[in-house]
Amino acid sequence: MTARIRLAWRLLVGRRGLAVLALACIAIGVAARGAVTGTVAAFEAHLAREARSLIAADLEVSSARPLESAVRESLAAVLPPGSRTAELRTLTAMAAGGGQAVMVELAAIGEGWPLVGALGGEPVASVIDLGRSPQAALVDPDLLPRLKLQVGDELVLGRGHFRIVGSIVSEPGNGGSAFRLGPKVYVPLAALGPAGLGDPGIRARFHLLATVPDPADALAVATALRHRLKLSEAPLEIMGPGPAGDQVSVRTAGEAAQTAARAIARGADFLRLVALFALGLGAIGVAALARAMMLTQAEDLAVLRVLGADRTSVAGVFLLQAVGLGLAGGLLGTGLGAGLATGATLAMGLAPAWPLTIDLALGLVLGIAAALVSTLVPTLTLARMAPLAVLRGEAPAAIPWVTTALILAATLGTTLILAAVEVRSWLIGPSIAAGAFILAGGLALAGGLLLPVIARLKPPSFALRQGWANLSRSGGTLLVALGLAAALGSALLTLRGSILAELAPDRLTQLPGFFVLDVQDDQQAAFTAFLGERGLVPNLRPLVRARLQAIDGVETKAAGEAVALRSREAERRAFFHRREQNLTWAVAPGPGEHLIAGRWPQAATECAVETRWADQVGVRLGSRLRFDVQGVEIELTITGLRRIDWLTFQPNMFITCAPAALSGAPAVWIGTIPTMATPLRQTFTADLARRFPNITAIDIGDATVKARALVARLSAGIAAVAVVALLAGLAVVAGTAAAMARARRQESALIRALGGTRRTVALALAVEFGTATIVAAVLGSAAGLVGGLLLTTSQMQVSLTIPWLEVTALILVLSSTATGTALITTRSAWHVPPLAVLREE
Amino acid sequence: MILSAHHLGRDYPTPSGPLTVLDGITFSLEAGESLAVVGPSGSGKSTLLGLLAGLDQPSRGRIEIEGRDLSAFSDSESAAFRARRMGFVFQSHRLLPALSALENVRTPLDLAGAADATTRAIAWLERVGLGARRDHQPRQLSGGEQQRVAVARALANDPALIFADEPTGSLDQRTGADLADLLFSLAAERRTTLVLVTHDERVAARCARQLRLVDGRVQA
């Protein structure tokens, strides 16, 4: 065995150029995965460390309704001696000052808050002032310039006049949420009532927080409290910033951290898939390099066969090289990934953390597996070779196509499983992976048809003729690898471009000006009149909150608890089952709403639901839904399916009924206000805040700016991993070029011996690689556009907008860098004196 | 009798039907005997060598080595037999370029699982006059030196049989003669049976027997 390892090593060292490229191909994909895993691990470690400060306590009890005395008594009964409690109320409100108004996230803090962590202000004494004065407000520094205010100025919240005592420097966590509807403002809890912000019509969240002497007891206390309150389940918050709805929610700091970690993990799933894509590209490169290594080692290994090595030993020597490359590539990639993750986490101000050992091991295993799978065909070819034929100069005979097909099928199956594991979805991961395989097949087929056509062209220029004639030599592999990289880049660009186009400032003229929330039933007439005085007509929809209890007679709670929540689909379904449902009523479809199947609900027992909601919940036309509408049970049959254009920003709900269905149910109204002229806009929010302090108006222009910024941030993260995939594509190009370097050296030497110049040779190579890379980039980008179209229209329901400039730039950059890479890799073909090559051969 | 071939034949499938490259080859060799296989290009010399070495299967006929039927060997048995009992010398040395001269000579010893591989390989390099060049790579050796390393490699396992395919074909006349001297003297010294394919009449003449092939058949 030692002798075989030594021989494998020496043979590998003898082809170190190819080996280094193969190493790079594997390392890039493993590094991308390691970077994602390491960054997520750092986030999780941070969340675990800072769990208590996420909710500023060990335990939180909250509800959208004031907490009843029974809840408080139950908490008091389960808390061990030495525990402390504090109150907090959170709500959105309009903050006015300087003649303008801005929607803010208001936190009204009771005595003793925060129980964990500290609130920091500038000046430092401002936090003390906040505790002493009932009219003090500590505000987000961003709010001051927006309202043209300074510390010491007056801020109007509801009907209350507050003095800004300072700006926020640091605060305990935001419950694990990264999302904010507006700047944060802290006021004393006692100030809410006098300001009119404690009225029953004001929608707020009521929090009762507690710390226990030993934080490790928090979960036991929470379980005991849930038992007393007859809450059978822990909160399931995978989609939103925190608990919502009227039902009392109990959660520990650890559970809040887990929720936040789960949200991060959901995002990381896709990044891992992109990393897997990069590894797949790398495997294509390794396959090309392995074939080259097989061809260059075939004679040596044939000699070994003659000297007494059997087929298994010969294949073993080659396989040992693959394992060595996979292990080295995996280790290098893991190290690089850890370095990238460390850099990224430090840049985000977090302490780096090492991923779990199992994640590190998986990276290594993936590296080795990629190397082994890529070298399987050449290994079997070597095992079957006839040594004498190889020693006579013949290439080893190809293995039967059935074996190749079986290897491909096994590779496909393994990749689909890996993709499912990486995305934690048996639907999304395998679908995307299968799409990539189909695309690879399509690119290979297109290459197989197109490249021979180009190769048959006989232009007068020798360089063109020679370059195109050689296209079939390496074009196939190069086309698939670079085409896949281009497809990924183009699809991401299209997706990003389409979403940004939907949120573009010039679209604002087609959108409403404001989105309004929490218009009470009894305010509807006055609110409409208030707008009418300003020449504005609102589009209001009633909103009735309910819980989904059963689907076709099957309790959803039981179904939700039964799922292990191991997959995205299970998580989403459980979430959609358990979340608070928003119902509305209407006699006909509203703006941006289309009935696409069935009929509009007419009877009190009928409803129409949004198609994607129906998919998530697992219902269809004719399904029966039983809701608990604030204590009253109603059963509705689905008679229609609706598609809603959410990006019109028009108010709508997943479930709409006939008006009779929700007759008498307590409703609030939400809606939109048309865009308005600037002079009116400047005073509108301030007037609205004065007249209706409980109504929240979200400026859609501001919201789209925030959404654009969010999309830009998210796409930057994905782009970073996608760049790795492009690098993997370039590594494959280098590998493909290197794989044929020997043949090119011979051919170039011959051309130069026959009178060609170095320039002629370089030009012919540039034509060959340039044509192949441009064809690959164009075909791949076109496929990416189709993928982008499918994603935008079917999954995201936004219109396709092709960012032509960026896609063209992608094609040019990718093809030129790939051509440059290939030329550098094959420089020996046009640099080395021809005589040296001819003598050597 | 160490080696015997009985009515040996080899066909290759072609689109227009089987192509016979060897037919009716029968001969036998005693230990220490030498046989030159001669004939024009394409007469089937190398094919015969491949069959005798167990690297290819005959279409008909039988080969016996040391009384054992070669066709009954599995691939691994055949490989193990080659490693222990056969040595090879090729026309163009066929040294493994990534390995040093010593490592090349060691290779068949390693494959046969010899415990004292390094010592024996060094001894054989010294026997062929290349003890001082043992750490050199093949590209650092001249053509004659490379072929001497190949001879040392062929003899390293103390084989019963040596197959040599045009061993002097790539060397100039003087170096070729030196190499032939070396090969014949070492084979005689160890009573090793020598089967060599050659175009060189002088080398062929040094063998005890000659087998002349024409169009795949033995010419009387």
Side-chain angles (χ1 to χ4, degrees):
Chain A
M1 190 62 185
T2 315
R4 278 177 201 141
I5 293 173
R6 190 172 56 238
L7 183 62
W9 167 248
R10 300 302 289 271
L11 289 174
L12 202 59
V13 168
R15 280 86 183 170
R16 57 185 163 275
L18 299 178
V20 165
L21 282 171
L23 204 72
C25 284
I26 294 166
I28 287 172
V30 175
R33 191 185 182 283
V36 174
T37 310
T39 309
V40 171
F43 267 112
E44 285 173 349
H46 174 75
L47 287 169
R49 274 196 307 273
E50 305 295 325
R52 297 178 78 214
S53 69
L54 284 179
I55 58 170
D58 291 325
L59 182 74
E60 178 196 64
V61 183
S62 70
S63 171
R65 289 180 184 172
L67 295 168
E68 294 166 2
S69 56
V71 175
R72 294 171 185 277
E73 285 161 11
S74 296
L75 177 65
V78 296
L79 283 176
S83 302
R84 292 184 299 131
T85 60
E87 292 207 41
L88 170 74
R89 203 177 306 171
T90 51
L91 60 153
T92 54
M94 299 304 289
Q100 298 186 48
V102 169
M103 189 182 71
V104 295
E105 279 193 1
L106 193 58
I109 56 176
E111 197 180 335
W113 189 93
L115 294 171
V116 174
L119 181 65
E122 176 60 39
V124 178
S126 59
V127 178
I128 299 165
D129 292 341
L130 186 67
R132 282 183 186 156
S133 165
Q135 298 306 116
L138 188 69
V139 305
D140 191 320
D142 290 347
L143 181 66
L144 298 174
R146 290 178 68 178
L147 292 177
K148 299 189 179 69
L149 294 177
Q150 291 180 331
V151 172
D153 287 348
E154 186 182 83
L155 182 75
V156 178
L157 292 161
R159 289 191 298 272
H161 293 254
F162 292 79
R163 188 173 61 86
I164 301 172
V165 293
S167 57
I168 303 164
V169 174
S170 62
E171 57 184 321
N174 194 25
S177 167
F179 304 100
R180 275 193 172 166
L181 286 168
K184 193 76 172 271
V185 174
Y186 285 96
V187 296
L189 184 60
L192 280 190
L197 295 171
D199 297 350
I202 303 287
R203 186 154 182 86
R205 184 123 196 119
F206 297 79
H207 308 257
L208 184 55
L209 304 155
T211 50
V212 288
D214 182 357
D217 294 336
L219 186 59
V221 173
T223 306
L225 183 58
R226 284 182 194 127
H227 182 69
R228 272 181 169 263
L229 296 175
K230 297 187 170 53
L231 301 173
S232 58
E233 61 199 36
L236 179 73
E237 304 136 20
I238 58 163
M239 310 289 286
D246 294 343
Q247 194 180 18
V248 173
S249 161
V250 177
R251 65 172 179 169
T252 64
E255 287 165 348
Q258 280 171 9
T259 300
R262 204 179 287 143
I264 292 166
R266 287 176 70 81
D269 289 343
F270 283 103
L271 294 179
R272 269 197 290 271
L273 189 64
V274 178
L276 187 64
F277 187 86
L279 191 62
L281 282 184
I284 294 174
V286 177
L289 289 160
R291 182 170 161 71
M293 288 169 88
M294 182 266 285
L295 290 173
T296 58
Q297 291 185 14
E299 289 187 2
D300 292 351
L301 295 173
V303 170
L304 276 185
R305 290 267 287 125
V306 172
L307 294 180
D310 59 16
R311 294 177 193 281
T312 317
S313 302
V314 166
V317 168
F318 197 70
L319 220 50
L320 272 173
Q321 296 178 50
V323 172
L325 279 174
L327 188 64
L331 283 171
L332 180 65
T334 304
L336 274 174
L340 288 170
T342 304
T345 47
L346 287 175
M348 286 184 280
L350 300 175
W354 291 100
L356 292 173
T357 316
I358 194 163
D359 278 325
L360 286 173
L362 192 58
L364 284 180
V365 168
L366 282 177
I368 294 171
L372 280 177
V373 167
S374 318
T375 50
L376 215 48
V377 171
T379 303
L380 291 177
T381 308
L382 283 174
R384 293 182 74 253
M385 75 175 168
L388 284 183
V390 170
L391 291 176
R392 276 198 300 267
E394 294 173 20
I399 59 172
W401 69 267
V402 178
T403 313
T404 310
L406 282 174
I407 291 171
L408 268 178
T411 308
L412 173 65
T414 312
T415 309
L416 295 187
I417 292 169
L418 269 177
V421 171
E422 291 292 65
V423 186
R424 297 183 305 124
S425 164
W426 286 102
L427 180 68
I428 300 172
S431 302
I432 295 176
F437 266 94
I438 292 168
L439 178 57
L443 284 166
L445 185 67
L449 295 172
L450 192 60
L451 294 182
V453 172
I454 299 175
R456 273 200 289 274
L457 299 176
K458 299 294 175 200
S461 156
F462 171 78
L464 276 178
R465 213 164 52 238
Q466 172 71 8
W468 284 348
N470 281 334
L471 269 178
S472 56
R473 185 162 52 190
S474 57
T477 311
L478 194 148
L479 202 90
V480 171
L482 206 61
L484 283 173
L488 176 70
S490 154
L492 288 176
L493 285 174
T494 306
L495 209 56
R496 178 175 167 273
S498 299
I499 296 171
L500 290 180
E502 288 284 345
L503 302 170
D506 58 0
R507 265 208 81 220
L508 288 179
T509 53
Q510 305 157 31
L511 296 177
F514 287 90
F515 199 86
V516 288
L517 303 171
D518 295 338
V519 180
Q520 303 301 304
D521 243 349
D522 58 0
Q523 287 181 313
Q524 198 199 339
F527 179 66
T528 308
F530 167 82
L531 295 175
E533 288 163 16
R534 287 156 181 79
L536 302 168
V537 179
N539 172 25
L540 294 175
R541 292 289 290 260
L543 184 158
V544 175
R545 291 193 168 84
R547 291 259 163 197
L548 180 60
Q549 287 190 319
I551 299 169
D552 292 327
V554 179
E555 296 283 329
T556 55
K557 189 187 263 184
E561 282 170 351
V563 293
L565 303 188
R566 286 197 185 120
S567 75
R568 297 176 74 87
E569 286 79 18
E571 274 184 2
R572 279 189 79 85
R573 181 157 295 193
F575 169 75
F576 271 93
H577 280 175
R578 292 186 194 179
R579 63 165 284 177
E580 194 176 60
Q581 309 289 344
N582 294 329
L583 278 58
T584 189
W585 69 76
V587 292
E593 181 178 17
H594 314 275
L595 185 72
I596 56 169
R599 59 176 176 76
W600 196 257
Q602 288 157 358
T605 55
E606 294 175 350
C607 70
V609 300
E610 198 246 10
T611 50
R612 284 201 297 168
W613 184 85
D615 290 342
Q616 299 289 357
V617 177
V619 293
R620 56 184 184 276
L621 280 177
S623 295
R624 286 175 293 113
L625 308 174
R626 192 173 79 227
F627 289 100
D628 170 2
V629 183
Q630 295 165 45
V632 179
E633 279 190 5
I634 61 168
E635 185 156 295
L636 302 170
T637 302
I638 300 173
T639 60
L641 293 175
R642 299 136 63 221
R643 184 170 63 77
I644 299 171
D645 300 332
W646 294 106
L647 284 171
T648 59
F649 285 87
Q650 294 298 337
N652 221 319
M653 316 296 155
F654 288 138
I655 306 137
T656 193
C657 320
L662 298 171
S663 159
V668 291
W669 294 70
I670 63 167
T672 51
I673 301 171
T675 189
M676 57 192 83
T678 309
L680 176 58
R681 190 184 184 88
Q682 281 172 344
T683 58
F684 174 77
T685 46
D687 289 349
L688 179 73
R690 260 195 306 277
R691 179 78 186 275
F692 301 100
N694 66 301
I695 294 177
T696 302
I698 300 170
D699 186 325
I700 290 177
D702 277 355
T704 54
V705 168
K706 280 181 186 164
R708 280 176 68 84
L710 184 64
V711 170
R713 276 208 305 275
L714 289 175
S715 56
I718 295 171
V721 186
V723 164
V724 177
L726 297 183
L727 283 177
L730 290 181
V732 175
V733 170
T736 313
M740 301 298 290
R742 190 180 178 189
R744 286 197 178 90
R745 269 156 60 92
Q746 284 175 305
E747 187 181 89
S748 301
L750 198 61
I751 292 170
R752 291 182 66 189
L754 293 174
T757 62
R758 184 177 289 178
R759 189 172 166 277
T760 314
V761 171
L763 207 57
L765 287 171
V767 166
E768 179 187 339
F769 293 127
T771 308
T773 56
I774 285 174
V775 170
V778 169
L779 286 177
S781 297
L785 293 182
V786 175
L789 172 70
L790 291 175
L791 280 173
T792 50
T793 52
S794 69
Q795 294 297 311
M796 311 191 72
Q797 297 187 352
V798 296
S799 310
L800 175 73
T801 303
I802 300 173
W804 288 112
L805 196 64
E806 292 175 9
V807 172
T808 309
L810 173 77
I811 291 171
L812 292 176
V813 169
L814 200 56
S815 54
S816 56
T817 47
T819 304
T821 305
L823 283 175
I824 291 168
T825 312
T826 53
R827 66 193 175 282
S828 65
W830 40 286
H831 259 297
V832 176
L835 202 57
V837 177
L838 294 172
R839 269 186 185 152
E840 172 189 303
E841 304 306 333
Chain B
M1 193 183 308
I2 190 160
L3 171 69
S4 62
H6 308 275
H7 309 292
L8 217 50
R10 182 69 170 101
D11 303 333
Y12 288 104
T14 67
S16 54
L19 173 71
T20 300
V21 294
L22 276 181
D23 195 27
I25 309 292
T26 299
F27 70 90
S28 60
L29 283 173
E30 297 295 337
E33 224 178 342
S34 58
L35 172 75
V37 182
V38 294
S41 297
S43 57
K45 304 186 294 291
S46 296
T47 305
L48 175 62
L49 209 62
L51 291 175
L52 296 176
L55 292 164
D56 195 5
Q57 290 293 322
S59 305
R60 56 197 162 276
R62 199 173 81 248
I63 301 165
E64 282 181 12
I65 295 182
E66 295 182 328
R68 299 176 66 186
D69 185 352
L70 204 55
S71 63
F73 285 15
S74 69
D75 175 65
S76 53
E77 284 171 336
S78 173
F81 191 81
R82 277 199 300 278
R84 286 195 312 272
R85 305 296 291 151
M86 294 181 189
F88 286 84
V89 182
F90 303 97
Q91 179 177 4
S92 54
H93 59 84
R94 295 287 183 193
L95 298 180
L96 299 175
L99 305 187
S100 66
L102 175 64
E103 287 167 330
N104 266 287
V105 178
R106 261 192 68 149
T107 300
L109 294 163
D110 286 334
L111 289 169
D116 52 351
T118 305
T119 315
R120 285 167 66 181
I122 291 172
W124 272 106
L125 276 175
E126 282 167 357
R127 286 295 305 275
V128 299
L130 291 171
R133 314 287 301 269
R134 65 187 189 195
D135 293 324
H136 285 62
Q137 300 290 312
R139 65 174 182 278
Q140 295 169 309
L141 302 172
S142 70
E145 286 169 335
Q146 287 175 356
Q147 204 61 323
R148 276 153 64 196
V149 175
V151 169
R153 183 176 68 181
L155 286 157
N157 257 347
D158 202 12
L161 273 160
I162 286 183
F163 296 103
D165 190 359
E166 301 274 11
T168 59
S170 63
L171 303 174
D172 61 58
Q173 197 175 331
R174 174 63 193 245
T175 314
D178 288 348
L179 188 94
D181 287 345
L182 180 70
L183 191 58
F184 278 100
S185 65
L186 288 174
E189 177 189 312
R190 310 184 80 79
R191 279 188 55 78
T192 307
T193 306
L194 188 60
V195 178
L196 51 82
V197 167
T198 184
H199 279 108
D200 189 332
E201 292 296 337
R202 280 166 299 188
V203 174
R206 294 179 68 169
C207 290
R209 293 168 54 193
Q210 289 192 13
L211 191 73
R212 184 168 298 276
L213 293 181
V214 176
D215 294 334
R217 289 175 171 275
V218 178
Q219 194 178 50

